[in-house]
Amino acid sequence: PRGDKNMASTDLFRICPRTGLQYHKSAEPLIKLNAVAAVVALLVGGVLALLITLTRWQAVHLVGADTFYMILTAHGLDMLVVWIIFFEVAVLYFCSSTLLRCRLATPKLAWLAFALMIIGAVTFNVAIFTGNATVMMTSYVPLPAHPAFYLGLILFAVGALIACFIFLGTLVVAKAEKTYEGSIPLFTFGAMTACIIAIFTIASGAIILIPTFLWSLGYIKTIDPLMYRTIWWAFGHSSQQINVSAHIAVWYAIAAIVFGAKPMSERVSRMAFTLYIFFLQLASAHHLLSDPGLSVEWKVFNTSYAMYLAVLASMIHGLTVPGAIEAAQRRKGYTKGLFEWIRKAPWGNPAFSGMFISLIGFGFLGGITGVMMGTEQLNMLIHNTIYVPGHFHATVVIGTTLAFMSLTWFLLPTLFNREVLMPGLAKWQPYLFGGGMGVFCLAMMGAGTLGVPRRHWDMSFAGTALPYEFPGSAWLMMAIVGVSGVAAVVGGAIYIGLTVLTILFGKKLDEGTYSTKGTVLKMPVASALTGHGGQEAHVGVPGTFVFALVFLGAFVLYYFVNWKYLSTVWGLS
């Protein structure tokens, strides 16, 4: 039954028969369309990624210099901005409307936000691909781009900002209408953290991009380059901090969906998210540590004492997410030895395997290298080398993108009501994508340690007045970057292909009933995602603590190896 046809759409909720989750009729199409737009952006960015990879692989060296810098500009924006923020908007609407069993606040404004984001993304992409905005993602002044480039970014940012306020408005509606009990669920709390950081991030972008737009039109004479860089990185790097909060919330969600896992301590997990709000943006300073115009005191404060509180938060999440999974598994009887709980985990489920690879890759590759790069002296070793994109591909791609891919395998049957096509292929997708990207990042970091430059079209420096010959190991590293990058692109193509084919041709599943919000089914997935509290009884998690000690050992060893490496250049002074 579909319920009373005379009921207003604002009162209707579809109850998923497989999960018990309910979708507000006005929110559901917005969640779908934002997710679909995200996948389209991932497709565009993925094609560009393949071209960039085959160009930096010196033996192939596919495209010319002009084309290379154009596609590198588009790749950065379509991946870090368009793909991820569209998906995050879908997550915000899901976390507020669906998990709180609440109508979406101002759905008409949500459609306006979606339209602005689409128009903005198309506008700056047209400016780039017509050759009028080859300025890289950072778009440093005084290098000018066409006004349409800045206008497109501003429109996209305004749309995203409206979506953030709609999310906050939905929280207010849910509280006023008492659609949930107690505090908001942890998954929603993590999304709220991402939303608060997003508002700061988008405001920072507006503060510098609006005057830069006016400068491109000729209304402002000059913009100070150091001021631009300082404010722009409050936008450019903080956008990744939105992603960190969002994908860690996804980790908690998948642990709840797959295992029914509750956090080891919900209070501690919420405290860690709160630390992100106050301290995570300070990491933006690591892009500015070589700038002479900023004081040493500013650099040290931003990249050490205060930023360590954000590192503490990430380490808490790195302990509590696998700890919650281990506790849930041990309650089910997987208690033999330290690691039976992880050996018996559903590694054939791409939602779980992708999430766990995301967690390991983000922690070991992204997290450790990020702290190293955030140390003023060590930063000088690898600043502007290809080590830097090696680091942020570990955070943005293995961490965020793979986590979002993992959540997609859950959303396809419950949101899109389609059975995943070719589940055997879907099972291997996280391993191909995550494994390829892991090797890709490690090889980039190795090449960067040997001095291979970031963003440079030709590492052979052919025809230059002052040529430089890198050691053979650097060439080998870049060849590994090429091979592993192609493997990761294939993994991404499988994700996009299966997602699109499933939505278009997958077996239709029962959509469930439409009714008013008082008949929510208390099914395991719904109750796991919306429930509260930590573990009911103490369950030891020795395996997780062994993982934590391994991580700590790797952290300390890598940190001090870099200090040893730095000491070899002290004689130059």
Side-chain angles (χ1 to χ4, degrees):
R2 291 290 183 180
D4 185 354
K5 294 181 179 180
N6 296 321
M7 281 192 292
S9 62
T10 55
D11 298 325
L12 285 178
F13 295 82
R14 179 180 68 83
I15 303 174
C16 173
R18 288 164 295 284
T19 62
L21 294 172
Q22 68 172 39
Y23 293 90
H24 182 225
K25 195 166 185 178
S26 297
E28 187 170 11
L30 285 161
I31 299 172
K32 289 180 178 179
L33 282 175
N34 277 282
V36 168
V39 172
V40 171
L42 182 65
L43 172 62
V44 174
V47 172
L48 300 176
L50 181 62
L51 297 176
I52 294 166
T53 300
L54 293 178
T55 303
R56 290 307 305 258
W57 185 358
Q58 199 69 26
V60 180
H61 212 47
L62 184 63
V63 303
D66 291 346
T67 304
F68 175 77
Y69 293 112
M70 178 185 73
I71 63 178
L72 195 56
T73 302
H75 170 72
L77 288 168
D78 284 331
M79 288 302 218
L80 184 59
V81 176
V82 185
W83 141 248
I84 288 180
I85 292 182
F86 264 122
F87 200 95
E88 284 166 348
V89 170
V91 168
L92 289 181
Y93 293 160
F94 176 82
C95 288
S96 55
S97 176
T98 301
L99 294 191
L100 300 183
R101 304 189 290 275
C102 173
R103 62 184 176 86
L104 186 71
T106 62
K108 290 182 180 179
L109 275 181
W111 283 106
L112 173 63
F114 178 76
L116 286 174
M117 291 170 70
I118 290 289
I119 293 168
V122 170
T123 300
F124 68 68
N125 270 285
V126 168
I128 294 169
F129 286 114
T130 54
N132 294 310
T134 304
V135 291
M136 312 302 289
M137 178 179 165
T138 47
S139 56
Y140 290 150
V141 298
L143 187 64
H146 190 277
F149 174 79
Y150 305 108
L151 179 62
L153 285 172
I154 292 167
L155 290 174
F156 187 92
V158 170
L161 190 61
I162 292 172
C164 288
F165 285 120
I166 291 169
F167 167 78
L168 295 177
T170 305
L171 298 187
V172 173
V173 170
K175 186 71 174 178
E177 298 183 356
K178 299 179 180 179
T179 62
Y180 65 95
E181 297 177 0
S183 56
I184 59 176
L186 182 61
F187 186 19
T188 306
F189 189 88
M192 184 181 71
T193 302
C195 178
I196 292 170
I197 295 174
I199 292 170
F200 164 84
T201 301
I202 295 167
S204 299
I207 287 169
I208 199 60
L209 287 174
I210 291 174
T212 307
F213 170 59
L214 297 175
W215 166 75
S216 71
L217 290 171
Y219 294 112
I220 292 178
K221 187 175 181 181
T222 59
I223 292 179
D224 180 72
L226 179 60
M227 179 198 72
Y228 179 95
R229 283 170 57 84
T230 304
I231 300 175
W232 190 92
W233 277 113
F235 159 74
H237 194 273
S238 295
S239 61
Q240 168 56 16
Q241 319 306 4
I242 308 170
N243 308 338
V244 170
S245 301
H247 79 234
I248 289 176
V250 169
W251 292 350
Y252 281 109
I254 291 177
I257 291 166
V258 176
F259 300 95
K262 292 185 177 181
M264 297 174 69
S265 169
E266 188 167 331
R267 183 176 297 176
V268 170
S269 296
R270 289 173 187 263
M271 181 197 73
F273 276 122
T274 304
L275 287 175
Y276 277 165
I277 295 172
F278 290 106
F279 300 108
L280 197 56
Q281 289 73 260
L282 300 178
S284 305
H286 83 68
H287 294 277
L288 304 167
L289 293 179
S290 64
D291 283 24
L294 298 169
S295 70
V296 172
E297 294 83 0
W298 184 88
K299 294 176 182 178
V300 170
F301 178 81
N302 276 272
T303 59
S304 58
Y305 305 110
M307 195 185 77
Y308 291 153
L309 293 170
V311 175
L312 171 64
S314 290
M315 295 181 78
I316 289 172
H317 293 307
L319 182 68
T320 58
V321 174
I325 293 172
E326 180 176 0
Q329 287 285 81
R330 287 185 179 277
R331 281 199 301 272
K332 294 175 183 176
Y334 299 115
T335 56
K336 294 179 182 178
L338 289 173
F339 301 117
E340 187 190 22
W341 64 275
I342 194 67
R343 287 190 291 106
K344 298 292 186 179
W347 291 101
N349 181 344
F352 165 72
S353 61
M355 180 276 283
F356 208 83
I357 295 169
S358 167
L359 188 153
I360 298 297
F362 177 80
F364 278 86
L365 298 182
I368 293 175
T369 58
V371 175
M372 190 281 283
M373 291 170 61
T375 305
E376 184 181 9
Q377 299 93 328
L378 297 179
N379 184 277
M380 302 303 171
L381 291 172
I382 46 82
H383 181 77
N384 252 1
T385 69
I386 204 167
Y387 186 106
V388 179
H391 155 75
F392 66 66
H393 278 78
T395 57
V396 178
V397 184
I398 301 179
T400 303
T401 294
L402 189 52
F404 288 175
M405 288 176 171
S406 303
L407 185 63
T408 303
W409 302 118
F410 166 72
L411 291 177
L412 286 172
T414 182
L415 174 63
F416 289 92
N417 303 302
R418 299 280 182 166
E419 188 175 293
V420 175
L421 288 177
M422 293 179 275
L425 187 59
K427 177 177 71 174
W428 290 105
Q429 184 272 328
Y431 297 101
L432 183 58
F433 184 80
M437 192 52 60
V439 175
F440 178 87
C441 295
L442 284 169
M444 270 193 172
M445 293 172 191
T449 302
L450 295 170
V452 175
R454 175 187 183 186
R455 294 173 164 177
H456 205 286
W457 171 70
D458 182 12
M459 66 178 282
S460 71
F461 296 103
T464 58
L466 297 171
Y468 179 80
E469 184 65 34
F470 287 101
S473 53
W475 292 79
L476 174 62
M477 289 290 180
M478 293 307 294
I480 295 173
V481 167
V483 174
S484 57
V486 170
V489 168
V490 172
I494 292 172
Y495 164 78
I496 294 169
L498 289 183
T499 299
V500 173
L501 290 174
T502 295
I503 293 173
L504 294 177
F505 306 111
K507 178 184 175 183
K508 289 185 178 181
L509 300 174
D510 179 16
E511 294 182 1
T513 59
Y514 282 90
S515 86
T516 56
K517 56 184 176 185
T519 55
V520 179
L521 301 177
K522 295 292 184 182
M523 297 181 70
V525 170
S527 59
L529 281 173
T530 59
H532 288 290
Q535 309 295 341
E536 294 89 349
H538 175 70
V539 178
V541 288
T544 298
F545 279 103
V546 170
F547 283 144
L549 290 174
V550 170
F551 174 82
L552 183 61
F555 197 151
V556 172
L557 179 63
Y558 187 77
Y559 195 72
F560 284 101
V561 161
N562 277 277
W563 278 104
K564 173 63 177 174
Y565 180 40
L566 178 66
S567 71
T568 62
V569 304
W570 287 347
L572 298 177
S573 61

